[in-house]
Amino acid sequence: MKNQEHKVEKEFIPALGYNFLTGLYDTTIRLTMPEKKFRNQLIQKLDPQADETILEFGFGSGANLAIASSRSPNTSFFGLDIDPKVREIAFSKLKNKDILVELQLYNGGIFPYNDAVFDKAYSCLVFHQLDDETKAHCFSEIYRVLKPGGKLIIGDWGKAKNRWMRTVFYTVQLLDGFKTTTANVKGLLPDYIREAGFSDVQETGFINTRIGSFCYYEGIKMEK
Ligand SMILES: C[S@@+](CC[C@H](N)C(=O)[O-])C[C@H]1O[C@@H](n2cnc3c(N)ncnc32)[C@H](O)[C@@H]1O
């Protein structure tokens, strides 16, 4: 693994839309979403194995890494996020639980990893915060760093499953903006995943929450 850290060179949307709200992220998720359910389903789909090396892109406060790593302590987990503030939060959370994960800071460009080093990569509630160009770039970077045969698992806002889900999703859009969330609610994430080179792309489930339809997607980097 390359182990350099870079200055953040790209603008980004913080975990809760605004930098001053980042400290409230965990509480807000607990109050607005079925947190145990959506995180447990994500980690069940990830199904981490002892000999695997797994990347979480956009680890936020480290909540998924904490669950995944306690479920499979011998898996090598790595985390990449653009925001130094969440890295501090995630670092303390994981340290308090005696969990050792390499948390790297992303500069918004090329991922700081060599080609084909991860068995699996996952990302949760991140792609709705990326503009269309950045979505495409990050999916192709994930594709590059996965081994042939490697698997991508995404949990994020997807196509609203009914009119009420479309209406409540305006809450997320008002906080995070329409520019980055529109492709999600139009159901376009699977197209981005396919365009990055992934095969067998599919929606594998969804949960209707108080603030929108949270969907799971998967794709495979085929062996050549
Ligand atoms: C809503 S939070 C989700 C955090 C975590 N994955 C979770 O499940 O709770 C979105 C995360 O994406 C990160 N993020 C936003 N833009 C990013 C970018 N361009 N590259 C990497 N991470 C980004 C934010 O710093 C934040 O930690």
Side-chain angles (χ1 to χ4, degrees):
M1 301 283 161
K2 292 178 190 166
N3 196 18
Q4 311 152 291
E5 295 202 347
H6 306 274
K7 223 171 94 215
V8 175
E9 286 154 9
K10 195 175 163 67
E11 281 190 14
F12 63 91
I13 300 177
L16 266 187
Y18 298 91
N19 189 40
F20 73 96
L21 292 177
T22 299
L24 299 175
Y25 180 72
D26 279 345
T27 311
T28 307
I29 292 292
R30 205 176 308 128
L31 294 177
T32 56
M33 290 188 67
E35 187 179 15
K36 270 196 181 161
K37 187 174 171 183
F38 87 79
R39 294 203 191 282
N40 283 337
Q41 283 196 25
L42 178 80
I43 304 309
Q44 263 170 28
K45 288 174 193 294
L46 182 67
D47 190 22
Q49 303 295 310
D51 56 348
E52 288 178 335
T53 302
I54 298 183
L55 172 68
E56 177 168 5
F57 174 62
F59 53 75
S61 65
N64 301 313
L65 284 170
I67 301 169
S69 182
S70 20
R71 200 156 300 173
S72 185
N74 294 323
T75 301
S76 301
F77 287 100
F78 288 76
L80 186 64
D81 197 292
I82 203 162
D83 186 353
K85 198 164 174 179
V86 293
R87 192 169 70 149
E88 292 303 309
I89 297 171
F91 186 78
S92 331
K93 179 180 287 169
L94 297 172
K95 194 170 168 226
N96 288 342
K97 294 178 190 284
D98 280 328
I99 294 172
L100 197 70
V101 174
E102 194 172 315
L103 300 177
Q104 286 194 257
L105 207 53
Y106 178 44
N107 70 0
I110 301 297
F111 283 12
Y113 310 110
N114 293 327
D115 296 355
V117 287
F118 294 104
D119 297 286
K120 291 173 184 163
Y122 71 100
S123 186
C124 178
L125 289 171
V126 176
F127 278 84
H128 74 280
Q129 296 197 324
L130 310 183
D131 62 34
D132 296 348
E133 195 186 323
T134 310
K135 279 182 176 59
H137 174 74
C138 291
F139 279 130
S140 51
E141 276 300 282
I142 293 176
Y143 186 85
R144 180 182 68 77
V145 301
L146 274 174
K147 295 176 184 172
K151 190 172 183 182
L152 166 70
I153 294 107
I154 297 290
D156 206 341
W157 304 115
K159 194 170 171 61
K161 300 298 176 189
N162 57 49
R163 275 188 173 188
W164 178 243
M165 283 298 115
R166 181 64 192 90
T167 305
V168 293
F169 189 64
Y170 284 113
T171 323
V172 177
Q173 296 198 285
L174 288 172
L175 206 58
D176 286 330
F178 286 77
K179 187 175 171 196
T180 61
T181 51
T182 300
N184 283 66
V185 76
K186 281 187 173 172
L188 297 179
L189 277 196
D191 293 341
Y192 280 91
I193 298 172
R194 257 178 232 113
E195 275 159 28
F198 287 94
S199 305
D200 292 345
V201 177
Q202 50 181 315
E203 182 178 317
T204 59
F206 70 89
I207 302 172
N208 282 336
T209 76
R210 281 184 203 164
I211 51 175
S213 298
F214 179 88
C215 299
Y216 297 96
Y217 306 105
E218 289 185 6
I220 300 284
K221 176 172 176 175
M222 283 298 188
E223 317 241 4
K224 293 238 163 105

